Amino acid sequence: MLLSDTVTDQRRSHSLCHKSPGLAKLCTGVHKNNGTNLQVHLLFLLMKDPHWLDKLNPPQRQAVTHHRGPLLVLAGAGSGKTRVLTHRIAHLIEVGGVSPDSIVAVTFTNRAADEMRHRVDALIADQGDAAKIIISTFHSLGARLLRSYAPRLDLDWNFSIYDDADQRRLIANLLRRGDQEQGRSEVRQKQSYIDACKNRGQTPEQAQEEAFDQKAEAQAQFYADYQQALYHAGAVDFGDLIMLPLLLFRRDPGFARRLSEQWQYLMVDEFQDTNPAQYELLAHLTSAHDNLAVVGDDDQAIYRWRGADATHILGFEKAFQSTQVVKLEQNYRSTALILDAANDVIAHNDQRHPKQLWTERPRGESIVLFTGSDDREEASFVAESIFDQIRKGAAPQDFAIFYRANAQGRLFEEQLRQWGLNYRIVGGLSFYDRREIKDVLAYLRAALNPYDDIATSRVINTPRRGVGATTLDKLQAALAIDGVEHLQDAAELIDADVPAQSDLFSTGPKDLIQREAFEALRSLRGVSRRGVANFLEVLDATRDDLLHFESLRPVVERLLERIAYAEHIEKDDPDVAEDRLLNIGELISAIEEFESDSATPALLDAVRQAIPDEADDPLTTSEASLRLRAFLDRSALVRQSNDDHPDGAVTLMTIHGSKGLEFDTVYLVGMEEGTFPNLRHGDEPEKLAEERRLAYVAITRAQNRLFITNARRRRVYGQFKDTSPSRFLLDISEEHLHVDPRSTVDGVNFGKHRHRGFSSSSSQRTSSAGQSLYFDQSSDGFDDLSFNQAPPDWDLEVDDTLVDDYADDYEGPADADGDDILGATVSHSRFGVGEVLSISGDGDDALLKIDFVTVGQQTVIRKFLKILG
DNA sequence: GGCACACGAATTTTT
DNA sequence: TTCGTGTGCC
């Protein structure tokens, strides 16, 4: 280890700590015991370095071997960020002799956590040690804490975790009950208000204190009501997974301190994405020490809309005194040219931590640009291009398609399928969001947590059992009755023996309402009454099973049988029944996998630990129940199942989803104003800056090749809308771009940019000159240009031969003649791609026998084929 | 209570 | 274009 390695670049950018007294206050408790640093360091020097240490570059090594005290690693894209974190963990254990269970590494996504877990496992000799390290997302860590310490918050230890949709249902219920304005946008507005409060670490009381007008007061009041309703349902939402542990720490700093003493080494990945609540949580967790190592890149801050605050990373050195700062600026991932392009784009943002990414890698291939005449053509270009490369020997898993919004994925999915390519979609409608999965999980939730009214109301009439809106209304109304707290109570009351003079009704003004609700409930007859009874039976039977089985699988299978779910699916929509049944099968596999997973026992222990001594309820403490509890937690937090294609697949995902990943070849699609950047009229500059960082993230995912595509027309809500190229695309130096000959446009620019006096697209787009011109435009109303009414003109002289060659639909006439077509690759609009086996007849009407990739052998008429060569 | 139909609104991005 | 909600009829 060289001494010079530890010399840190002390240049610091402006810090925001001093501007925020609250933050500064928060920080003061955090740095201590620096006196021991030197000793420990010397001890470190005496120990033998593991063999992998010399594979790291000097700054990486510096970060890895840093032991105690705050550490800030400013890691540019592809600079070995995860490598540093994982090696640092290994170094702490193997060289520093640190106990593995005192290390906690926090990430933002489950994927990142999994990845880190794998890599740490590979570095650490003793797998028993490896398993003791806590590597988790913020939310999982929060869930784990809550599960263990719920009683301290007077929260039922058996709480459910509400996802987005559950949250919205609860909000909608509350609005209805409060006779407030309803409707989707109102629900969303309330939801984002509540989330924003929780992201800031603000309780309803604090929100109320800070409310200075009536509207704000009403909002805060709603937040309070909502929290009350959650509590009543024995549930927490995503925000609570951070917020409630935080409350716990605020109320009992001693408790936080004890935890902090246990967790001696904290590491946070993607630190630029922390929100204030998470930041405060970290402050509490380091109250007994200051061993906080954070890694991040302010250029990759893309979660501001979710409350993330990049000032945490920008002001870290100020907040934590004697922070060691390490900058990782060497990029190992991308070719020089791709890196240049990324730098071109991000250079337009100010307010960055100054850094300069560089690489030793060669220049590499040009970035390919393709502009389709419409979005479908764009998608088919991408599919064909990938198909070609795979045919030449590339592996499907080397390719990724990135888009701004999930909805864009569909077209690409269609085209990939057409070309017979395997693909996997990351994000979007996740596995656990599928209706059939949510149904089954809701049953299980309703069985395990009878207070969970959202789960109960979801499945009380699924499959149909005669419990419609009217009956549900009666059940809801019955909640007014004293002693009837939850829907399941109400359901039970229908058939219960109630003495005429029961104390069910207290005296008071509510008496009449209660009595009416009671009568309405008891007057239920026929299918409705039987339906409710049947529902309760199903839950009871499932609870019974939870007592008598150890494994979850039979519990779920018997449930499915009991409610005849397969038949229900079949009847509901035969077209998709098969898919849904497969999904159910996958759910069962996921449960089994979970039960046999090596990490599960630790989870179960955490849940077990939470069971209060007085809880002797055999149901909630049975083995199967514990497993179910843990599985439900996980299914709420882990959004997708691992259904990776065995033989490799092309990856489709949003740019947000791509962060932290890398691919040999990246297709960045939909590069048009309005789509990406995705802006609405009147958006502020910071939003644009975030979009720009998003572009930076996307470009820097590519290792060797980058394709950028867009379309001159795009369907929005089924209507074609004209587009213009993304400003981010225009920021990339033209000498880095190569326009694909099949492109509809013979250059980068299309549409109005020509009208702005740019004779040639290249002259105005080089670096700073391009920037000023560009932004001059925007200041005189760029928004008007791109997002609103005025469609751009398409007055380009396009090379017709090129356009025809590509723009012809697949149904167009075949464009090769003679018999050399035997063995050729062709494409058909319905069957996709195939190989010509034989020909009979001639001309456009000739019959061709084709072996299609997707559907096998078919005979088709030649004019419906496109010859690909 | 359940179904079929019409209408209107809607798209960021995720734990 | 697709989704979810509301309406009117059986």
Side-chain angles (χ1 to χ4, degrees):
Chain A
M1 221 182 305
L2 297 170
L3 206 78
S4 61
D5 289 353
T6 59
V7 175
T8 310
D9 182 357
Q10 288 295 340
R11 218 168 15 140
R12 43 184 63 163
S13 71
H14 65 290
S15 155
L16 290 123
C17 206
H18 63 281
K19 290 183 194 156
S20 157
L23 191 65
K25 200 171 154 201
L26 204 67
C27 306
T28 44
V30 186
H31 39 78
K32 282 160 203 100
N33 69 8
N34 286 318
T36 55
N37 263 3
L38 188 62
Q39 279 177 308
V40 174
H41 221 86
L42 287 174
L43 196 68
F44 251 50
L45 288 169
L46 295 174
M47 305 193 112
K48 190 179 176 301
D49 285 340
H51 63 280
W52 37 255
L53 211 53
D54 44 76
K55 287 187 191 151
L56 302 169
N57 70 27
Q60 284 178 341
R61 205 176 309 138
Q62 186 193 346
V64 165
T65 55
H66 168 272
H67 186 202
R68 289 194 156 267
L71 170 71
L72 169 64
V73 181
L74 294 168
S79 62
K81 179 171 63 80
T82 310
R83 192 162 196 226
V84 162
L85 276 176
T86 51
H87 283 73
R88 183 161 183 271
I89 292 173
H91 194 260
L92 281 172
I93 293 173
E94 309 262 306
V95 181
V98 166
S99 167
D101 55 15
S102 67
I103 298 176
V104 178
V106 190
T107 64
F108 279 84
T109 66
N110 293 295
R111 206 185 40 231
D114 290 347
E115 166 89 7
M116 202 185 293
R117 164 73 62 196
H118 275 122
R119 289 167 69 168
V120 167
D121 284 355
L123 282 174
I124 293 191
D126 183 344
Q127 290 303 296
D129 274 359
K132 288 184 197 148
I133 308 164
I134 297 180
I135 300 179
S136 123
T137 64
F138 263 109
H139 287 84
S140 300
L141 187 69
R144 187 186 171 126
L145 282 172
L146 267 194
R147 210 39 98 190
S148 299
Y149 301 106
R152 286 169 172 262
L153 285 162
D154 194 28
L155 175 72
D156 192 325
W157 72 271
N158 193 30
F159 64 86
S160 305
I161 297 175
Y162 277 7
D163 69 8
D164 251 24
D166 297 326
Q167 202 186 357
R168 279 198 296 274
R169 284 171 74 123
L170 183 63
I171 290 172
N173 286 348
L174 277 174
L175 289 174
R176 196 161 347 114
R177 212 168 66 190
D179 267 336
Q180 295 186 56
E181 202 179 322
Q182 295 169 42
R184 296 207 66 65
S185 62
E186 189 62 21
V187 172
R188 277 183 190 281
Q189 191 276 327
K190 290 273 187 282
Q191 183 185 28
S192 65
Y193 171 81
I194 291 167
D195 279 348
C197 287
K198 291 182 178 177
N199 287 337
R200 287 193 298 266
Q202 210 174 25
T203 61
E205 295 74 35
Q206 289 172 311
Q208 276 163 331
E209 274 167 32
E210 284 184 21
F212 286 118
D213 58 13
Q214 261 194 322
K215 193 159 178 269
E217 259 168 46
Q219 297 268 53
Q221 183 57 48
F222 186 85
Y223 175 22
D225 294 345
Y226 168 84
Q227 249 358 80
Q228 184 57 41
L230 269 183
Y231 175 76
H232 185 74
V236 304
D237 64 17
F238 279 139
D240 284 345
L241 293 177
I242 310 296
M243 189 68 210
L244 294 182
L246 190 54
L247 273 185
L248 209 54
F249 292 165
R250 283 181 189 165
R251 285 183 198 164
D252 187 355
F255 169 68
R257 199 182 164 82
R258 285 195 294 283
L259 262 182
S260 176
E261 277 158 7
Q262 183 192 333
W263 291 341
Q264 279 287 321
Y265 295 88
L266 267 81
M267 270 163 263
V268 185
D269 194 12
E270 307 281 12
F271 187 67
Q272 74 281 358
D273 288 334
T274 45
N275 64 35
Q278 289 159 337
Y279 188 76
E280 193 184 335
L281 202 68
L282 288 173
H284 283 290
L285 286 176
T286 50
S287 58
H289 54 78
D290 60 355
N291 301 322
L292 176 61
V294 304
V295 181
D297 178 5
D298 50 304
D299 284 336
Q300 296 184 64
I302 54 173
Y303 285 105
R304 212 178 85 101
W305 54 274
R306 217 169 78 180
D309 187 347
T311 58
H312 296 148
I313 193 168
L314 294 171
F316 188 82
E317 302 168 69
K318 268 276 165 57
F320 293 81
Q321 283 165 29
S322 72
T323 292
Q324 183 162 115
V325 182
V326 176
K327 287 189 180 188
L328 304 181
E329 294 178 305
Q330 181 176 6
N331 173 298
Y332 293 94
R333 180 185 294 148
S334 308
T335 63
L337 197 138
I338 289 171
L339 205 56
D340 267 5
N343 284 332
D344 280 350
V345 171
I346 200 66
H348 291 293
N349 274 358
D350 36 12
Q351 305 227 330
R352 306 167 52 209
H353 238 299
K355 69 175 112 37
Q356 188 61 48
L357 267 187
W358 58 279
T359 181
E360 285 174 351
R361 294 203 53 193
R363 179 181 154 85
E365 291 175 35
S366 287
I367 296 164
V368 177
L369 176 66
F370 173 85
T371 301
S373 62
D374 60 26
D375 48 357
R376 187 184 164 278
E377 196 182 276
E378 179 194 20
S380 97
F381 167 81
V382 171
E384 180 174 354
S385 165
I386 294 175
F387 178 86
D388 281 346
Q389 294 170 74
I390 290 177
R391 203 170 43 166
K392 287 176 193 149
Q397 61 270 27
D398 288 341
F399 298 91
I401 301 172
F402 298 157
Y403 33 79
R404 178 64 237 271
N406 277 308
Q408 288 168 257
R410 179 164 298 164
L411 265 177
F412 292 91
E413 206 183 335
E414 256 170 41
Q415 291 298 322
L416 289 170
R417 206 177 307 145
Q418 184 123 117
W419 287 79
L421 298 169
N422 286 336
Y423 61 86
R424 67 188 179 116
I425 299 179
V426 179
L429 187 65
S430 87
F431 179 71
Y432 288 100
D433 282 338
R434 289 170 206 275
R435 197 193 311 169
E436 57 278 14
I437 303 301
K438 293 201 87 165
D439 282 348
V440 177
L441 294 182
Y443 264 107
L444 295 169
R445 268 166 56 182
L448 196 58
N449 177 6
Y451 302 165
D452 192 338
D453 282 357
I454 297 291
T456 302
S457 61
R458 180 183 178 95
V459 286
I460 196 167
N461 199 31
T462 311
R464 303 258 129 86
R465 47 168 78 88
V467 188
T470 331
T471 309
L472 198 56
D473 277 351
K474 286 179 185 167
L475 289 168
Q476 298 272 9
L479 297 180
I481 302 169
D482 290 343
V484 179
E485 298 286 328
H486 306 280
L487 285 181
Q488 291 187 28
D489 299 341
E492 268 163 24
L493 191 58
I494 296 174
D495 270 329
D497 294 326
V498 181
Q501 290 302 319
S502 83
D503 54 0
L504 197 58
F505 309 109
S506 63
T507 50
K510 278 166 77 186
D511 223 357
L512 184 64
I513 295 171
Q514 295 194 14
R515 209 158 266 291
E516 275 175 6
F518 180 73
E519 294 308 331
L521 204 58
R522 303 284 277 196
S523 69
L524 275 175
R525 293 284 176 271
V527 267
S528 310
R529 193 182 186 106
R530 281 199 301 277
V532 174
N534 170 258
F535 175 68
L536 290 176
E537 279 162 27
V538 169
L539 291 189
D540 277 341
T542 303
R543 288 177 185 133
D544 241 28
D545 286 349
L546 282 171
L547 275 178
H548 295 113
F549 291 96
E550 228 176 54
S551 159
L552 285 177
R553 182 186 174 130
V555 178
V556 176
E557 282 174 341
R558 287 162 60 93
L559 167 68
L560 290 170
E561 220 158 285
R562 206 170 284 132
I563 60 177
Y565 199 70
E567 288 85 334
H568 163 68
I569 284 177
E570 187 61 44
K571 219 175 81 190
D572 189 57
D573 188 348
D575 292 343
V576 294
E578 200 182 331
D579 277 350
R580 292 193 172 168
L581 285 176
L582 282 174
N583 285 334
I584 297 280
E586 219 180 291
L587 175 68
I588 292 176
S589 317
I591 290 175
E592 285 195 309
E593 250 171 64
F594 174 76
E595 289 187 303
S596 59
D597 192 301
S598 61
T600 300
L603 281 177
L604 293 181
D605 282 344
V607 179
R608 218 173 267 124
Q609 188 190 342
I611 303 171
D613 294 338
E614 68 271 21
D616 50 2
D617 177 4
L619 169 67
T620 48
T621 55
S622 77
E623 171 69 18
S625 299
L626 290 179
R627 289 184 185 188
L628 179 57
R629 185 73 278 158
F631 181 76
L632 289 176
D633 278 3
R634 197 170 115 115
S635 61
L637 294 166
V638 179
R639 293 182 60 74
Q640 55 176 49
S641 66
N642 31 350
D643 54 343
D644 279 12
H645 252 278
D647 42 353
V650 178
T651 301
L652 282 82
M653 61 169 95
T654 64
I655 302 169
H656 281 87
S658 77
K659 193 162 70 150
L661 303 179
E662 58 186 17
F663 293 89
D664 178 82
T665 305
V666 165
Y667 289 81
L668 178 53
V669 306
M671 283 293 267
E672 300 136 29
E673 284 293 300
T675 301
F676 188 31
N678 181 306
L679 294 173
R680 282 140 199 271
H681 197 58
D683 274 338
E684 71 266 38
E686 175 47 38
K687 280 234 173 101
L688 179 61
E690 179 142 320
E691 295 285 315
R692 193 178 288 285
R693 291 193 290 269
L694 207 47
Y696 176 76
V697 168
I699 295 170
T700 53
R701 300 307 98 196
Q703 295 172 311
N704 294 311
R705 275 168 316 157
L706 175 64
F707 288 74
I708 298 179
T709 68
N710 53 20
R712 291 168 35 156
R713 295 191 306 161
R714 177 171 300 277
R715 252 181 221 276
V716 185
Y717 305 143
Q719 294 260 289
F720 273 117
K721 286 267 198 297
D722 287 319
T723 64
S724 56
S726 167
R727 63 188 79 187
F728 303 147
L729 175 53
L730 302 179
D731 288 335
I732 298 173
S733 160
E734 184 149 19
E735 67 219 33
H736 293 156
L737 297 172
H738 165 255
V739 180
D740 188 281
R742 288 164 291 186
S743 185
T744 319
V745 175
D746 185 19
V748 179
N749 268 328
F750 50 87
K752 62 187 36 94
H753 296 289
R754 291 220 154 184
H755 288 284
R756 295 275 145 168
F758 305 138
S759 50
S760 98
S761 51
S762 59
S763 62
Q764 47 90 19
R765 287 187 311 96
T766 38
S767 59
S768 58
Q771 183 187 11
S772 61
L773 278 172
Y774 206 79
F775 281 91
D776 284 345
Q777 276 185 52
S778 82
S779 61
D780 72 32
F782 191 87
D783 286 347
D784 293 337
L785 283 174
S786 11
F787 313 126
N788 289 340
Q789 63 290 1
D793 298 324
W794 293 92
D795 61 341
L796 298 176
E797 318 80 77
V798 175
D799 183 340
D800 284 336
T801 57
L802 289 178
V803 177
D804 282 350
D805 179 50
Y806 191 76
D808 266 359
D809 221 18
Y810 296 141
E811 275 118 355
D815 49 7
D817 40 17
D819 288 336
D820 51 352
I821 192 175
L822 261 180
T825 305
V826 296
S827 148
H828 183 270
S829 63
R830 223 175 82 228
F831 301 134
V833 176
E835 189 189 333
V836 179
L837 297 178
S838 65
I839 308 171
S840 60
D842 47 19
D844 277 351
D845 292 328
L847 289 177
L848 279 73
K849 195 169 193 187
I850 315 283
D851 184 19
F852 286 104
V853 180
T854 43
V855 293
Q857 294 192 6
Q858 299 281 340
T859 302
V860 289
I861 300 170
R862 177 162 175 173
K863 71 176 166 196
F864 293 127
L865 290 169
K866 185 184 178 188
I867 307 329
L868 302 169

